[in-house]
Amino acid sequence: MEIIEKAPAKINLGLDVLGKRADGYHELEMVMSSVDLADRLIMEELEEDKIIIETNKAFLPIDKRNNVYQAASIVKKRYGINKGILIRITKNIPVAAGLGGGSTDCAAALRGMDRLWQLGLTMPELIDIGMEVGTDVPYCIYGTTAFISGKGEKVTPLRPMPQCWVVLVKPRLSVSTGKIFQEVDLDQLHHPDIQELSDAILAEDYQRMIAAMGNSLESITIPKHPVVQQIKERMMKYGADVALMTGSGPTVFALCQKYSRAQRVYNALKGFCEEVYLVRTLK
């Protein structure tokens, strides 16, 4: 039996860093939503007790460094599963881009293994396993517009964000999330109003939502990688309603209510960067 799971990318409509926790992580408040750019996972049980990861990207690790491998290892050990598993990952989401590609693959693998082995896992159980792999995994297990707090483990679903078009642009560089967080100076950050952003989404007010959007980490990433700001400015010049970096970067996204504007932003950025995507938000 084959199990197929879709693993959509996430964007940060809002990201605020509140402080450093005793466990070394940062206390965060975020609003995330998923978009229709997705990886695809196919899972199949093996008689031999081993984990095999296959992917269409040669540069991706397929051993213990891979989030999906880690998730499979944890599930097998925790629930005493002596069968093996083959997981084929078709990557469409850019890697190291702030779009949660590794985390959403891990979440999809957990959902798929739950179905494959009929484990009947609850949402708290899935989240507990996901947190062992990465702090964005709990959100990706839900995969809907949500308010996230703590270090990422507290997820409160909201209404789906107002439907719109999304232009995603990833410049040709990678950003280390760990290194960005090492440079956090709370007094130097812009702190968006995450509660106002959440309230705007609950009210289904698009204009109020875009006015409240913001990302604390832009002030750290942009000085290191000015191309992020250049992309934002180009998006706004060609008609985006709002342009914002997602996660710790380097991907920037624009929101547009009108398809014609989204197409214009897409065309304007297509010659500026190689990885440009025009997608919809997910309901």
Side-chain angles (χ1 to χ4, degrees), residues 11 52 77 102 118 156 159 205-206 208 225 229 240 248 252:
I11 54 174
I52 300 176
K77 183 176 180 181
Q118 299 179 354
T156 305
R159 288 179 185 269
D205 189 329
Y206 180 80
R208 186 178 162 195
H225 306 290
Q229 182 63 29
S248 58
V252 180

Side-chain angles (χ1 to χ4, degrees), residues 23 53 56 80 161 186 193 210:
D23 59 11
I53 307 293
N56 62 326
M161 68 176 284
L186 295 175
D193 189 339
I210 64 173

